[in-house]
Amino acid sequence: MDIERSPLATPFPEMPSIDGVKLRVARAQYKEWDRCDLTLIELCEGTAVAGVFTQSACSSTEVEMGREQVKAGSARALIVNAGNSNAFTGYRGREAVEQIMAQVSEGLSCEPSQVFVSSTGVIGVPLPKDKARDGVASALTATECNWEDVANTIATTDTFAKGATASAMIGETRVEISAVIKGSGMIAPDMATMLGYIFTDAAVDPAFLQEVLQSANTKTFSCITVDSDTSTSDTVLAFATGKAGNVPLTSFNDAGADAFAAAISDMCRQLAQLVVRDGEGAQKFIEIAVTGAASDASAHKVGLAIANSPLVKTAIAGEDANWGRVVMAVGKAGEPADRDKLSIGFGGHWAARDGQPVADYDEAPVAEHLKGQDITVEVDLGIGSGRSTVWTCDLTHGYISINADYRS
């Protein structure tokens, strides 16, 4: 299946290597494709780890095991399989993961529990053990590669490689952060989203790294949606090698902790928005800003109701300034709202204020805004101080075409 590059794609950035991190890719051929589909990332001794995972009741073995592994806070390797999610595969799926962990741990002389495994792709097909064995063997002896190679290797229906980088000062020490992510469809996170991996040379206590990642996730990954569907395999992991040599961060009371957390949050926002820009069939990137809600949590739910509405998404795809569809989405959200206080705008132009159309409303500037690729929708509920921003994309026939052919 040939998929055209998203018109919203951005170039892959220049990303620094992270001391204590070695990148390798290989071919396990989990699908009939001519590309690398297995990633092995070796981490130095003493690497701290944190993670957030899908809350799906049908999560994969990789997710179930990962939730337990992060509690120990230590990692030596990450291995990612593309083309087969290994979800809904019972004991056979678990045996495949355990085999991979054992093989990698033997190759790197570490504990199996320090090997984190992720899989993405078709649901319901057990990961072939023979292909896994051969793929891991190839990865262990492969030459080192770059971040873009990794980003391409973990992808499935993605149309472009996604990466981001940031840095922060911890005292007198500059720390680097590099990250890659994959995701294009089945995007509506619940505690995490898609497969995302963050690497830093900072020295960070695992518990504090977990706190920072969870906070960033709430404001970024949990604020995007492509199609309202949450994956069985959603995982975001953060690894800190400690090679920068800074005084280890243990809490927000430490010097440089705020700067480090801000850098992680900024990076996660970049990654989250890249996923939306590669939404399956997407032609437009949409930011929905909700203000005046009863609370921030309420604003978030209203924003997602708008972002997940097929009627809103198709109207924007058709460049139709149908603000009545936004009214509908607000009304169905199940959150406090007052029809007579509601205001709706597009691209800074208000179409309705205080529950009624704006007098002498001119649709021309709104229509012009909707012709662009970056769309903003403003909603003011007028009943409180709660606010939230959600990111999504439009819904086009391309989404149907991609998913109708997904298993081929």
Side-chain angles (χ1 to χ4, degrees), residues 319-384:
E319 300 174 0
D320 179 12
N322 189 344
W323 54 268
R325 292 185 174 183
V326 180
V327 174
M328 172 279 301
V330 172
K332 75 169 186 177
E335 292 299 311
D338 186 332
R339 177 197 62 198
D340 298 328
K341 295 181 179 179
L342 181 61
S343 300
I344 296 169
F346 298 89
H349 304 282
W350 292 105
R353 293 288 281 175
D354 301 322
Q356 56 186 327
V358 171
D360 300 322
Y361 167 57
D362 181 4
E363 191 170 289
V366 174
E368 186 64 28
H369 175 67
L370 293 178
K371 291 179 181 178
Q373 290 186 333
D374 286 40
I375 309 300
T376 59
V377 179
E378 298 93 12
V379 175
D380 190 336
L381 277 68
I383 61 173

Side-chain angles (χ1 to χ4, degrees), residues 16 18 165-177 200-203 243-246 260:
I18 301 298
T165 184
S167 63
M169 295 300 298
I170 301 178
E172 299 298 317
T173 304
R174 177 188 172 99
V175 301
E176 301 291 347
I177 312 167
T200 178
D201 56 6
K243 289 291 189 177
N246 60 284
F260 177 74

Side-chain angles (χ1 to χ4, degrees), residues 199-215:
F199 304 87
T200 178
D201 56 6
V204 188
D205 178 78
F208 183 61
L209 186 62
Q210 184 70 36
E211 181 181 356
V212 168
L213 180 61
Q214 287 185 186
S215 177

Side-chain angles (χ1 to χ4, degrees), residues 297-334:
S298 181
H300 180 69
K301 291 179 181 178
V302 170
L304 286 177
I306 298 167
N308 284 325
S309 166
L311 289 177
V312 172
K313 292 158 75 73
T314 51
I316 292 177
E319 300 174 0
D320 179 12
N322 189 344
W323 54 268
R325 292 185 174 183
V326 180
V327 174
M328 172 279 301
V330 172
K332 75 169 186 177

